[in-house]
Amino acid sequence: SRIESVLESDEPMLLFISEHAEPAPLKTSVTTITQHVKPLSDDDSEETLEDKRKTEEAVRTFRLSSVASKPAFLEDEQETVAAVNIGTATHRFIRLINLDELRKDEAIADQVIRAEMDRMRKRHILTEDEERMIRLNGVVSFFQSDLGKRMLESKEIKREATFTMRIDPHGPTMVQGIIDCAFKENDEWILIDYKTDHDTAPETFVPRHEMQMNWYRAALERLTRVKVKEMWLFALRAGKAYPVERRDV
């Protein structure tokens, strides 16, 4: 089947359902949907769909909340651009890391990650500007964490899984999104989303992103017919993993 062939591929995964079932379906994004769910400001977050290196064509995207922490005329445009670039560069770097190097018995995460950065720079995969923006310590922290080690032990890992899914199987509206990482453990999915937010206080950090994660969970379960056992937000600035509870979407 198409789904099985996709799951067996080592390439970034595209999850989809046919768009021919109904004529001219409307499209939205996970970010658009979650905008209306939580009243929390997302101005401390550096995460958008742009950060994940993909563009949703013909889809209007929003941040999780349009509520600004300060008036627009006080916003620093360079700060905003820098934040987006940090997220974009860091996500791209994580996706391109050679995981086999980290699986070697003698591997030391810090050394391997820095060697991977050098390799990408020398091969012109990363620019010097991108290299400076990457949250390197956060990436090292992830692969040193129990969650990162569990991921490396998995035989089935999907990074940057792009999906398109109908919100209602009988309706025309489709939702799009990008899953940072999903890996199999005991035949069930473990779902991870990397975040570069400034604010990683549990009382605000997890609620800000939990509905987004649950949409990703719903999509992964529906399109692969495999249960998501756990969901985790990994705060790259704090070097810490936060569990996300299962919610109805």
Side-chain angles (χ1 to χ4, degrees):
S1 69
R2 284 186 175 181
I3 290 294
E4 288 173 347
S5 64
V6 168
L7 292 176
E8 291 171 358
S9 172
D10 291 329
E11 298 300 317
M13 182 170 62
L14 172 64
L15 299 174
F16 66 96
I17 59 175
S18 173
E19 295 196 23
H20 298 297
E22 294 185 19
L26 301 174
K27 290 186 179 180
T28 187
S29 69
V30 170
T31 313
T32 305
I33 293 170
T34 55
Q35 177 201 19
H36 303 291
V37 175
K38 294 290 179 182
L40 298 172
S41 171
D42 194 40
D43 294 307
D44 287 321
S45 174
E46 292 172 348
E47 303 302 325
T48 65
L49 289 180
E50 274 298 313
D51 294 352
K52 298 182 179 180
R53 203 183 46 82
K54 301 287 185 179
T55 301
E56 292 182 352
E57 295 182 3
V59 179
R60 186 180 181 190
T61 59
F62 300 88
R63 305 184 77 178
L64 296 183
S65 173
S66 58
V67 179
S69 59
K70 54 186 175 181
F73 65 85
L74 292 179
E75 294 285 354
D76 187 330
E77 184 176 350
Q78 289 184 336
E79 247 180 53
T80 303
V81 172
V84 171
N85 288 341
I86 288 167
T88 303
T90 303
H91 276 87
R92 182 166 179 261
F93 177 61
I94 294 173
R95 181 179 67 85
L96 295 173
I97 289 172
N98 184 348
L99 300 182
D100 287 337
E101 292 296 317
L102 286 159
R103 291 188 176 111
K104 293 179 179 178
D105 292 337
E106 70 279 9
I108 299 174
D110 182 72
Q111 294 178 5
V112 171
I113 297 303
R114 293 179 188 279
E116 281 294 284
M117 180 170 281
D118 290 340
R119 174 183 68 83
M120 293 183 205
R121 184 185 64 252
K122 289 174 182 177
R123 295 182 61 182
H124 305 291
I125 296 170
L126 293 176
T127 66
E128 290 184 4
D129 286 342
E130 286 176 317
E131 185 178 0
R132 283 193 292 269
M133 286 185 288
I134 290 168
R135 299 298 183 198
L136 191 63
N137 291 336
V139 177
V140 171
S141 294
F142 171 72
F143 286 105
Q144 288 176 333
S145 71
D146 290 340
L147 184 61
K149 291 173 183 176
R150 288 169 63 192
M151 186 263 275
L152 290 172
E153 290 175 359
S154 176
K155 294 181 180 179
E156 186 171 340
I157 303 171
K158 301 302 174 184
R159 293 184 282 179
E160 288 206 336
T162 304
F163 67 86
T164 300
M165 177 186 73
R166 293 189 190 281
I167 293 177
D168 179 348
H170 306 291
T173 304
M174 304 181 77
V175 62
Q176 296 180 321
I178 301 162
I179 296 169
D180 282 349
C181 180
F183 67 89
K184 286 277 190 71
E185 186 179 79
N186 298 324
D187 297 321
E188 293 180 314
W189 290 114
I190 309 297
L191 186 59
I192 306 172
D193 205 60
Y194 313 112
K195 298 295 183 185
T196 55
D197 299 29
H198 291 274
D199 174 16
T200 57
E203 63 271 18
T204 53
F205 177 66
V206 175
R208 183 184 304 130
H209 301 295
E210 66 179 354
M211 289 309 297
Q212 177 192 32
M213 286 292 287
N214 273 281
W215 273 106
Y216 292 165
R217 184 263 310 160
L220 193 58
E221 288 182 334
R222 187 187 300 180
L223 298 172
T224 66
R225 298 184 180 182
V226 175
K227 181 182 178 181
V228 172
K229 179 171 66 172
E230 298 172 20
M231 294 179 285
W232 294 89
L233 291 165
F234 194 87
L236 292 164
R237 286 178 179 272
K240 185 177 179 181
Y242 296 84
V244 178
E245 292 184 9
R246 191 181 186 95
R247 306 281 189 193
D248 290 334
V249 293

